[in-house]
Amino acid sequence: QTPAGRIEKNPALYNDLSKSHQALVRTGKIENGMTPGAVYLAWGNADSKSEGEVKGERFERWNYIGLAPVYNEGFYSGFGYGYRDYGRRGRGRYSTPYFGHSMYVDYVPYRAAWVDFANNRVKAWQRGR
């Protein structure tokens, strides 16, 4: 879902934001000082959340997962079976070998972005390009 779709479903959450945060949310951007609600509107639900502590300060981290394509190639082979009419000798089973080369794509998950919150505000964040 897009930021516009999340805003449409959560107008009260959007209207509670400052004008500058509303402008960022509409374009899918975040900055330090935003609330978790603003980050949700801009980036959507986190794929995972964790909490921790650094130098006596508690924080919550939201992780966003992306999928990277990995292109692979392979070889396949086997036998196909069928029946053939041999005229006066009747019908008989035969086999035909087959083989080939194929390309396929797998998708590998990676951490595409994260946001750290301290005191219910964005303290740090990172997103790939």
Side-chain angles (χ1 to χ4, degrees), residues 65-72 104-110:
I65 304 301
L67 295 173
V70 177
Y71 300 94
N72 299 289
Y104 57 95
V105 179
D106 286 323
Y107 291 90
V108 177
Y110 69 96

Side-chain angles (χ1 to χ4, degrees), residues 41-52:
L41 291 174
W43 286 6
N45 283 320
D47 294 296
S48 69
K49 296 179 181 179
S50 56
E51 58 183 42

Side-chain angles (χ1 to χ4, degrees), residues 89-122:
R89 295 185 313 177
R91 272 177 72 92
R93 188 172 184 208
Y94 71 94
S95 66
T96 302
Y98 63 86
F99 55 90
H101 182 264
S102 65
M103 295 291 293
Y104 57 95
V105 179
D106 286 323
Y107 291 90
V108 177
Y110 69 96
R111 186 167 72 176
W114 56 261
V115 182
D116 283 350
F117 296 94
N119 298 319
N120 218 29
R121 299 284 175 182
V122 174

